[in-house]
Amino acid sequence: MRLECPNIYELMGKHICYLTTKYTRDDSLVFIRLGSSMVRMGWRVSYIVCDGRGNQVMGGVEIWDCGLGRSRVHNMIVSAKAVLTKAVALDADVYQVSELELLKVGLSLRKKGSSVIFHLREDYPNLILGKSYVPRIFRKPLSLFVARILRRMLPKYDIIFPVTTKLVDDLKKQSIKNVCLLANYPVINNGFSLTFDQYCEREIIMVYFGTIYRVSRQETVFDALSRLPQLTYLLMGKMEDLEYSEQLRHHPYWSRVSFIDGFNHEEMSAIVNRARFSNVLRDFAQAGMPEGSLGVLKMFESMEAALPIVCSDVKINRWIIEKYRCGLCVDPNDPEAICEAVRYLISHPREAYQMGQNGRRAVINEYNWKFQFQNYYVLIKRLIDQNN
């Protein structure tokens, strides 16, 4: 589908443009939360992607495709240039960048007089330390290099939206201003309800959904669940590491895993609503975040779906579990502890159900997208008003 840039859109109010070379057009944060929310506020919303699927309009969001990226290097050079060209042509009131590959693109737009914000979705320096595709000898130097780049470039953006409180604190310690938390919390399905009888009618299924990577410790989960023959493990998502994928597929438990290779947001809700428990384990030490993170969306989406969670025993998770009693904390590298936690949930259905209800109440009261978006919108609107 071909899209044009008619002046008629100026009648709709302000225009925000999101840029990416690596995230999908239906990305759960940029499209489903940010883009859709801004459309509802009456803004024109453009989303520049690089997936080779062509231009289209989805839910009021204009999708502009700059062609499929081939590699990280290709994204940093060829795709980034194409994204910048398209962004300039769209002439938006404000642009949002969400990845390292586009740091310079954002600053190029800033030099042209545009308002530009950076959404810090990852703790990139620490994330690099756990990346298997980076040779171990280069991880520390690369991590330090990226940290220096961020310290130099981020202060040049109009607003920075980190995804975790730790990143907010780290940036403020560097005397970087205009920093505001934008946690990736779920949108509440107000029409959802689950009775105890309905919960007990479900099969004994534990679900994991999202990217399947080494820090999710699936091989350890396999070791744990192999001791629970009454349970089905529903694993849904994309394998980002070919070597790790092969490792999992050769694990003795793989034959018992119900694997769904990718899913869209609509499919996810139906599939998750088949489960009794959710695995949101993550080796935060390996990911460079020993205290945990509020940026693990699957955790809060599981809570919103009234599923008791099995999560990693780290500071942030312990605080949430102790406050709301919505799941169990375990060592993600201890198969025995994982097994015992899941066995407890299986043998105590009333308590498991109540944990799920507590988790949903926590999302309704605190960990939901509505409150996050209110802060986001106020700052974006203020930025635009100041520059007019």
Side-chain angles (χ1 to χ4, degrees), residues 105-334:
V105 168
L107 294 184
S108 295
L109 291 167
R110 186 77 175 79
K111 288 179 182 178
K112 293 178 182 297
S114 301
S115 297
V116 187
I117 59 181
F118 193 90
H119 188 195
L120 192 57
R121 295 179 64 163
E122 303 280 359
D123 185 349
Y124 289 107
N126 281 320
L127 192 66
I128 289 169
L129 297 175
K131 287 297 184 181
S132 60
Y133 59 78
V134 179
R136 190 175 297 274
I137 192 173
F138 295 126
R139 291 178 194 172
K140 185 67 172 180
L142 182 58
S143 173
L144 293 173
F145 173 74
V146 168
R148 285 197 296 271
I149 292 294
L150 290 171
R151 281 197 298 271
R152 182 165 61 89
M153 291 188 171
L154 287 182
K156 299 177 182 179
Y157 280 79
D158 291 291
I159 308 175
I160 306 164
F161 288 104
V163 74
T164 70
T165 52
K166 179 182 181 300
L167 288 172
V168 171
D169 293 340
D170 289 346
L171 291 174
K172 288 184 175 180
K173 287 177 183 177
Q174 298 170 31
S175 299
I176 297 178
K177 300 178 181 179
N178 298 325
V179 178
C180 181
L181 176 70
L182 183 63
N184 193 6
Y185 293 155
V187 177
I188 298 171
N189 177 3
N190 292 311
F192 175 82
S193 64
L194 180 66
T195 67
F196 177 63
D197 288 341
Q198 290 171 332
Y199 178 77
C200 291
E201 288 171 0
R202 294 181 176 183
E203 297 178 61
I204 302 177
I205 294 175
M206 185 174 200
V207 66
Y208 174 96
F209 56 92
T211 305
I212 302 165
Y213 38 24
R214 292 181 185 274
V215 295
S216 67
R217 305 302 297 150
Q218 297 298 330
E219 68 277 24
T220 308
V221 175
F222 287 4
D223 291 341
L225 301 186
S226 63
R227 312 174 194 189
L228 301 170
Q230 71 273 48
L231 178 138
T232 297
Y233 187 39
L234 180 55
L235 180 65
M236 49 190 291
K238 284 293 183 182
M239 307 267 195
E240 70 164 19
D241 183 326
L242 182 59
E243 181 181 340
Y244 187 56
S245 172
E246 288 300 308
Q247 178 184 340
L248 295 181
R249 293 173 190 276
H250 284 89
H251 192 285
Y253 187 72
W254 181 258
S255 61
R256 290 174 51 191
V257 174
S258 180
F259 177 57
I260 298 175
D261 187 10
F263 58 92
N264 59 40
H265 192 265
E266 290 74 21
E267 294 171 330
M268 186 197 78
S269 296
I271 296 171
V272 167
N273 287 340
R274 294 168 47 196
R276 286 205 196 183
F277 333 108
S278 182
N279 164 27
V280 297
L281 291 167
R282 186 174 184 178
D283 188 346
F284 286 101
Q286 184 179 338
M289 297 177 284
E291 293 188 352
S293 170
L294 291 174
V296 183
L297 177 59
K298 66 176 65 68
M299 176 171 174
F300 299 104
E301 286 185 328
S302 298
M303 291 163 61
E304 194 274 337
L307 295 181
I309 58 175
V310 178
C311 61
S312 303
D313 189 9
V314 291
K315 181 179 179 180
I316 290 176
N317 289 355
R318 280 197 300 272
W319 188 87
I320 294 173
I321 295 298
E322 290 172 3
K323 181 177 181 180
Y324 289 103
R325 301 187 182 278
C326 55
L328 299 172
C329 290
V330 298
D331 181 346
N333 296 298
D334 185 345

Side-chain angles (χ1 to χ4, degrees), residues 317-388:
N317 289 355
R318 280 197 300 272
W319 188 87
I320 294 173
I321 295 298
E322 290 172 3
K323 181 177 181 180
Y324 289 103
R325 301 187 182 278
C326 55
L328 299 172
C329 290
V330 298
D331 181 346
N333 296 298
D334 185 345
E336 181 63 35
I338 297 170
C339 176
E340 287 306 310
V342 178
R343 180 179 285 125
Y344 182 88
L345 294 175
I346 293 173
S347 59
H348 296 78
R350 174 66 72 175
E351 189 171 347
Y353 170 76
Q354 191 57 54
M355 287 180 182
Q357 295 298 303
N358 292 345
R360 179 167 171 78
R361 188 158 44 251
V363 171
I364 291 173
N365 292 339
E366 183 172 357
Y367 304 111
N368 66 78
W369 176 246
K370 178 181 177 181
F371 297 144
Q372 293 297 302
F373 179 70
Q374 287 174 347
N375 294 332
Y376 173 84
Y377 184 76
V378 166
L379 289 176
I380 298 296
K381 185 70 165 54
R382 184 182 301 162
L383 173 64
I384 297 301
D385 292 342
Q386 288 173 348
N387 293 339
N388 285 341

